[in-house]
Amino acid sequence: MLRQRLVLIVVCLLGLLVVAGLAWRANTLGRQPAAAVGGPFQLVDQNGTPTTEKVLKGKWSAVFFGFTYCPDVCPGTLQGLAAATEQLGPKAKDLQIVFISIDPERDTPAQMKAYLSADYVPKSTIGLTGTQAQVDAAAKAYKVYYAKVGTGPGYTMDHSTAIYLMDPKGRFKTVIPYNQPPADIAARIKAAMAG
Ligand code: NI
């Protein structure tokens, strides 16, 4: 009888250990993607200035990848972020939009500058491009998918649509899904800023 009880207790303790272990593992794995998004990059901005991940320091950054010839997703994302920025009120100055090209073949710094000169685009917006290798490395760091579609001058690009919100230390904070209303984007950014 005593022996049976002891066995039962040992079995229960082992069970608890397994549950605790699984919980710890799930927690660790759950956190992993957060830490794994972002990292070092070497690109060039729309003024031709070499730029690294240090550009993310000191401000909140809404980072997204795309290309200036994008017919809908990128202009829509940029418009949504611009409208959301206006809704941040005084906090708007704490946010910058960072648009990273995955089409360096066509997106020269000059092309990027022309693209971002539209009236609705906040002046603090940063457009980044680079060599194919630099762009590949940046996209890899941010777990961004993209692929060339078609051939000849009229080719287009398939690409991930998520916006990554990075904190003023350049650390990944949250993902803002594609096509959210500006008010929702602003609410998510405000919530992140509030901690
Ligand atoms: Ni696009």
Side-chain angles (χ1 to χ4, degrees), residues 66-67 70 73-74 159:
F67 63 118
C70 183
V73 172
C74 294
H159 65 88

Side-chain angles (χ1 to χ4, degrees), residues 145-167:
Y145 155 84
Y146 64 95
K148 191 172 177 175
V149 180
T151 51
Y155 72 89
T156 185
M157 304 292 295
D158 232 3
H159 65 88
S160 312
T161 57
I163 300 164
Y164 299 102
L165 186 64
M166 312 297 285
D167 75 10

